[in-house]
Amino acid sequence: MTTLPSVRLGSSPLTVTRLGLGTWALGGDGWAFGWGPQDASEAIDTIRYAVEHGGLNWLDTAPVYGLGQAEELVGEALADFPEDVRPYVFTKCGVVWGADAEPGTVAGRRQSIERELDESLRRLRLDCIDLYQMHWPATDGTPLEEYWQTLADLRQKGKIRAAGLSNHRLDELQRAHDVAPVDSFQPPFSALARGAAEEIGWCASHGVGVITYGALGAGLLTGAFTPERAAALPPSDWRSRDPGFRGHGLEKTMRLTRTLADVAAAHGVSTSAVAIAWVLECRGVTGAIVGARRPEQIADWRAAATVRLSAADLDRIAAVIRQEGIGSGPSHPRTGTWSA
């Protein structure tokens, strides 16, 4: 079994590889933000490959991914793994669904979070969650301090090993940290979407781990996307409705991807690996969540954990980002523009 370079996740007891498997896409197409049809057996093979051959020691999921489906697949895939080789399992709470919940509701009440945790433990076939994260700020009127105290209490009781926040703003991170230590923060972050730079810089200065998602821009930075492929996405794939996958936005991204491909060729790795390696170069980033729907996709990008981009590589990528006006935030991970 191969392993990848690892690092401590903030102040938590977890030492994680710099890449982790994301399971958003494994939730299939039966919900609002699905990725189209997903074969269950192939999803299980992908999860097992990540651990047995990919060298990853953690994966990230959430109850809402497929309305429970992704967690159930994770539970099935890992059921036969001995405890000493089972990867860490990270999941989330807050986003609820069903007849008694308005679409898009993020519930923060203690009773709701505790119920969600019990349901996740059942689906995942676990006794303890390694990292439990509030998926989004609550929309049901629960103050941040209240739902964060709930997660801190669950950590204290040993029902979770570490607690984190996902998709929160800088001021919210600061408020939570004043209540109880935040172990980890999960923002969207890639060469296309760099808006979380200030939050990541704050985390670096406060001992908070950062696991980013979206390093491949939902597939846009793999080098495999063309206007034809984007146009052929099924209606059940949320990307078919996203403006970034068509028109001028897609054209700009493809110009960036061609530069990533040139850098990748010089290093003898895939375009995907360079896109992820760019994220790992950023000060404060502990690791990157990367999705896969088939085992060979992991084989394509796992080199990101060990490839080292040169200053010239990063300058070249930054020049295209600035020239094309792609996203906002620092265009170069080593320029010193990251907030402390």
Side-chain angles (χ1 to χ4, degrees):
M1 185 178 295
T2 59
T3 58
L4 296 179
S6 59
V7 65
R8 182 82 169 267
L9 179 65
S11 59
S12 81
L14 311 179
T15 298
V16 299
T17 49
R18 299 213 69 200
L19 300 177
L21 178 66
T23 65
W24 178 6
L26 300 184
D29 60 358
W31 63 299
F33 289 96
W35 292 64
Q38 172 67 51
D39 180 78
S41 62
E42 194 164 46
I44 291 171
D45 289 344
T46 300
I47 295 167
R48 290 176 175 163
Y49 181 93
V51 182
E52 296 175 328
H53 305 288
L56 284 62
N57 79 342
W58 59 282
L59 56 84
D60 181 85
T61 189
V64 75
Y65 298 164
L67 309 184
Q69 178 172 309
E71 284 192 333
E72 289 174 353
L73 289 170
V74 169
E76 183 174 351
L78 301 182
D80 296 331
F81 277 77
E83 185 65 25
D84 60 341
V85 298
R86 179 185 66 77
Y88 296 134
V89 177
F90 303 167
T91 193
K92 308 178 187 76
C93 61
V95 182
V96 294
W97 66 91
D100 57 347
E102 291 291 328
T105 296
V106 183
R109 301 298 182 192
R110 179 177 293 268
Q111 183 179 14
S112 179
I113 290 175
E114 291 177 343
R115 181 178 64 250
E116 281 194 80
L117 176 59
D118 288 341
E119 291 172 352
S120 288
L121 289 169
R122 175 184 56 80
R123 286 189 290 260
L124 293 165
R125 309 185 193 186
L126 296 174
D127 298 320
C128 177
I129 299 296
D130 295 302
L131 172 65
Y132 203 47
Q133 306 155 94
M134 187 67 175
H135 205 155
W136 292 89
T139 62
D140 66 350
T142 306
L144 179 145
E145 288 78 4
E146 182 178 323
Y147 64 72
W148 183 245
Q149 186 63 61
T150 298
L151 266 68
D153 291 344
L154 291 171
R155 179 174 57 193
Q156 180 65 30
K157 293 175 182 177
K159 297 199 72 172
I160 64 176
R161 298 182 66 192
L165 294 170
S166 176
N167 300 306
H168 282 63
R169 303 187 310 268
L170 177 58
D171 64 299
E172 293 166 332
L173 280 170
Q174 293 170 324
R175 286 166 54 196
H177 208 58
D178 287 342
V179 172
V182 177
D183 291 314
S184 180
F185 174 53
Q186 182 182 144
F189 196 72
S190 70
L192 290 176
R194 305 176 309 281
E198 190 174 12
E199 287 83 357
I200 293 172
W202 181 90
C203 289
S205 299
H206 289 78
V208 177
V210 175
I211 52 171
T212 66
Y213 70 91
L216 294 178
L220 286 172
L221 297 180
T222 62
F225 254 93
T226 63
E228 292 75 22
R229 181 182 173 188
L233 290 170
S236 59
D237 188 326
W238 68 270
R239 296 173 296 177
S240 68
R241 303 181 294 278
D242 190 287
F245 286 81
R246 57 180 180 269
H248 186 54
L250 179 58
E251 292 172 3
K252 293 198 300 182
T253 298
M254 290 180 66
R255 284 192 280 272
L256 171 60
T257 303
R258 284 195 287 271
T259 298
L260 297 177
D262 290 341
V263 172
H267 285 274
V269 298
S270 68
T271 302
S272 296
V274 168
I276 301 164
W278 185 95
V279 170
L280 296 178
E281 290 283 352
C282 297
R283 173 180 176 266
V285 172
T286 307
I289 301 165
V290 190
R293 306 184 73 177
R294 301 183 303 278
E296 59 267 26
Q297 292 175 326
I298 298 172
D300 177 67
W301 50 248
R302 68 180 301 274
T306 53
V307 69
R308 293 293 175 262
L309 302 182
S310 69
D313 293 332
L314 297 172
D315 287 343
R316 186 177 182 185
I317 295 167
V320 177
I321 290 172
R322 292 192 296 268
Q323 180 180 348
E324 297 295 335
I326 295 172
S328 61
S331 59
H332 194 302
R334 297 181 188 166
T335 58
T337 56
W338 301 84
S339 171

